[in-house]
Amino acid sequence: MAEGEVKVNPKNGADLKVSTGEIIKGELLLPKDYESLQIPKPNYGKNIGLNIPGPLVCLLFLRILGISNIDEVTGSVSFDADITVEWIDGVIFDISEFLDKPLPTAKQVLKAQHVLSPAFLKKLWRPDLYMEDLIKVDQPTFTNKAVISLKFNKLTGFISYTVRMTVTVNCPMSFEYYPADTQRCMFRFASYSYVKEDMSLDWLQLDRNHTGVVIEDDSEDNFDIRIEKIDKFEFTPKWNNPANNSYEVLTFSLAARRKISYHLIQTYLPSVFNIFVTWLVFLIPYSLYDCRIGTTMTTLLTLTAMFSAVREQSPQVNYIKAIDLWMLACVLFIFSNLVELTVMTWMRITIETFEEAEEKIEDVEMGKGSKNLGELDSKIHVTPWKIQEFRKIYSYISQYSFRMFAAVFVGFNIVYWTWLFVCSEYFNWETLPVKEL
């Protein structure tokens, strides 16, 4: 019997010679000495009678069906995905024969694909790939069976294993520019045991437009989603690595840009309207200071309550966010308006009191009023020179206060929105390059 051939006894009792790698009842015919715990590295020199072992080729492809959850509290991302791992088993398939043949066409490759029984996977060697920062994996089932697919290509020798999973991965997030923030989550895949000399890890390229990772449904209620920075690098552990071995690591980045429209409608526009309400009080005469102060106080309390609600809904972090700066500035603007009204009211009352006292003094000097000036002296707190200064300041503030408040608020808006969108690169979403191998 030739090497690589075994006997199989069918039901009719006759002996049938088949080669290793043949498919019988959804299972590959394996050699008797096949070891599922030993990496089946290919021999690239078998066709010339030499033993030239090389690294086992392992390819990875991730088809993300959609983002199910972005949790800002725990800093995690959950998504449903079909994970495909392909490798060439050097014991089952002689890769040296494939190297001597011309490249097959896509139609030939597809025709040579055969479906295997998922239960057969337990008999095969499998790559020990893992995903860093993995929190939880849920595998959906249908009729009490896991949703998996196992295939073998007789032409290329690739064993293809696909499984559907719901994956939750840790994703450190930063909220300095919230709500114009863009979160970027880095995902890494690597072998736990095999160094690069034993297993060559790479992204599976379906075509020119689909390399390694694709996302089918990038729609999300609160975020714009896209895949970027598909890459590969070598990692050399610093500890417990006397041979200085390196591992190949596959990485990709998932970017999530927050949709700012919700906060524009729910936070920014209402706060601007509150600022405008405080500006309306400048149309009310200063003599009705009680109405002006009452309106400003009501607006300040309303904005403070809005600020508390925004703080409860936004991510809880120990540093100030962009939206916090906005709300604090709005509160400061209204509070400054209230301070201005208070100072103007005090100056008006002081001026009126002084004028009233002067009239009474004139009446006394003309013999028309009481000669008891003790009560008048207690009402006069400032000198006539200061009263003249008060009148000038009062007139200046009355004339220019609204213009000053409006100019400062418009200037703040220009600086704030420029800083927010430029520093966060919010509008560079479509121009950022996506790296493909």
Side-chain angles (χ1 to χ4, degrees), residues 4 18-24 27-31 91-93 114 116 152 154:
V18 295
S19 300
T20 299
E22 294 295 326
I23 300 174
I24 301 176
E27 295 188 3
L28 289 172
L29 187 63
L30 302 176
V91 176
I92 299 175
F93 184 80
H114 296 273
L116 302 179
F152 175 69
K154 286 187 175 182

Side-chain angles (χ1 to χ4, degrees), residues 55 191 193-200 241 245-248:
S191 171
S193 304
Y194 301 109
V195 297
K196 65 177 184 178
E197 288 78 12
D198 294 331
M199 187 169 72
S200 175
N241 187 22
N245 292 320
S246 298
Y247 297 82
E248 293 186 333

Side-chain angles (χ1 to χ4, degrees), residues 8 47 53 104 117 127 161 168 209 254 263 299 310 320:
V8 176
N47 59 339
S117 171
Y161 170 62
T168 302
N209 299 322
L254 185 146
H263 293 279
T299 307
V310 170
I320 192 167

Side-chain angles (χ1 to χ4, degrees), residues 361-398:
I361 292 175
E362 291 179 357
D363 292 341
V364 171
E365 291 177 350
M366 297 177 62
K368 298 180 180 180
S370 174
K371 295 184 180 181
N372 186 9
L373 300 179
E375 182 181 354
L376 295 178
D377 292 339
S378 64
K379 291 184 179 182
I380 301 176
H381 305 288
V382 292
T383 62
W385 177 82
K386 288 187 177 181
I387 290 296
Q388 294 297 327
E389 293 296 322
F390 280 2
R391 289 194 178 104
K392 292 179 181 179
I393 295 174
Y394 184 86
S395 176
Y396 182 84
I397 294 177
S398 301

